[in-house]
Amino acid sequence: MGRPPCCDKANVKKGPWTPEEDAKLLAYTSTHGTGNWTNVPQRAGLKRCGKSCRLRYTNYLRPNLKHENFTQEEEDLIVTLHAMLGSRWSLIANQLPGRTDNDVKNYWNTKLSKKLRQRGIDPITHRPIADLMHSISALAIRPPQPAHSPSGGSSSSYHHAPAALPLIHDVAYHAAGILQPPPQQAVIARVDADAPASPAADHGQQLKWSDFLADEAAASEGQQVLGHQYHHEAGGSGVLACWSSSVGGGRACGDGGGGGDDGAAAFIDAILDCDKETGVDQLIAELLADPAYYAGFSSSSSEMGWGC
DNA sequence: AAGGCGGTCAACCGCCGGGAT
DNA sequence: CATCCCGGCGGTTGACCGCCT
């Protein structure tokens, strides 16, 4: 027995919203706020599903939304965050004031992913397509590797890519002279709710997204839990100092959202602050703009001692 | 001028997590 | 503890628009 529908679909209007409907919804939300969306259509006099009202409000009618084109800075930030977070559009949108997850998702799907492909980089893995093809062909002639899953399965939609194919972020951090090269590399590359978020995964001590959320309160008290974890794994570096100051310093989180969003925002803020303080954000921008990164990646990565 | 085509974006769908009961 | 229900999320769809032939 499935979940009952949230509204009577037979009596619910679908499709584009009319100005009259917008006006009704705005009038209602401005006086009553946005509490129970299920009741909003009825109370606002709309023949819409509550879900549709919520979507219309959050994506279009909500105050302080930006409707103009994305700036270069926003574009760079989306690419950087996507490289770290994958398609967690709501988290990415949280870092872009006035933008919705739908905005970011559409912009990525229609513009940014194509732009990356044109530059020869795979928009999913953020790795040069040439190297991916190389990896695929290598896999084709090798017996399958045993699954590397220390914690026994994960719902992650991301994959731990071969160490020889560093993410943009990896390259930038390494180029900044912050980190040691693999296999002991300690980079902030990609996080997931379940999957290990750091190379610490290979050493039995895993940093998880949920850990960050759980540790947030402790971190704000100056315990610098995350900093300790990273310090433990990487033996101290600029990154760690940055993590300690950003995370452990109890800085303000995001734009005032509540609950888990604070943890998410703090997590991303910490990464971005770290990037800024270390100049990695600039390096990422330069890498993205540099054709040599895409064309000659193999040689440059081998120069860095990562080998392929 | 008109039809085809691709790009854009608003909106929908289904799933999931978590709070309430 | 189990179930219900709501809000949120990401993937996908389809209408609309402008450009090209």
Side-chain angles (χ1 to χ4, degrees), chain A residues 211-225 247-248 250 253 263 266:
Chain A
D211 290 342
F212 184 88
L213 296 177
D215 290 336
E216 189 187 8
S220 67
E221 293 166 8
Q223 295 182 25
Q224 303 182 3
V225 177
V247 178
C253 301

Side-chain angles (χ1 to χ4, degrees), chain A residues 53-195:
Chain A
C53 292
R54 182 178 62 82
L55 217 58
R56 181 64 179 173
Y57 180 79
T58 55
N59 287 343
Y60 195 78
L61 299 174
R62 187 159 48 104
N64 305 322
L65 281 183
K66 280 189 199 169
H67 294 289
E68 59 265 31
N69 290 337
F70 281 78
T71 65
Q72 185 62 49
E73 288 73 25
E74 288 176 314
E75 197 173 296
D76 292 343
L77 187 54
I78 292 170
V79 172
T80 302
L81 290 173
H82 189 273
M84 293 185 284
L85 300 168
S87 57
R88 285 197 159 80
W89 305 118
S90 59
L91 289 180
I92 295 172
N94 278 345
Q95 300 303 310
L96 296 160
R99 303 295 189 187
T100 69
D101 55 348
N102 214 30
D103 286 340
V104 175
K105 180 173 56 181
N106 281 332
Y107 191 65
W108 174 267
N109 287 333
T110 58
K111 301 259 182 69
L112 289 180
S113 63
K114 283 173 194 165
K115 205 179 263 189
L116 288 179
R117 257 187 229 107
Q118 282 168 1
R119 293 177 181 177
I121 189 162
D122 176 44
I124 298 172
T125 61
H126 291 260
R127 291 183 166 78
I129 291 170
D131 276 1
L132 289 174
M133 297 308 288
H134 179 77
S135 295
I136 290 168
S137 63
L139 284 173
I141 59 171
R142 287 178 189 167
Q145 299 289 318
H148 185 77
S149 177
S151 57
S154 159
S155 63
S156 170
S157 58
Y158 311 109
H159 307 284
H160 291 282
L165 297 173
L167 289 166
I168 288 175
H169 233 67
D170 303 358
V171 177
Y173 271 96
H174 186 72
I178 295 168
L179 300 165
Q180 296 300 311
Q184 297 298 327
Q185 65 176 356
V187 294
I188 305 160
R190 187 166 298 192
V191 296
D192 195 284
D194 302 308

Side-chain angles (χ1 to χ4, degrees), chain A residues 3 9 11 14 66 97 102 107 124 210 227 231 275:
Chain A
R3 185 179 142 188
K9 296 200 173 184
N11 291 320
K14 285 187 180 180
K66 280 189 199 169
N102 214 30
Y107 191 65
I124 298 172
S210 53
H231 194 278
D275 282 4

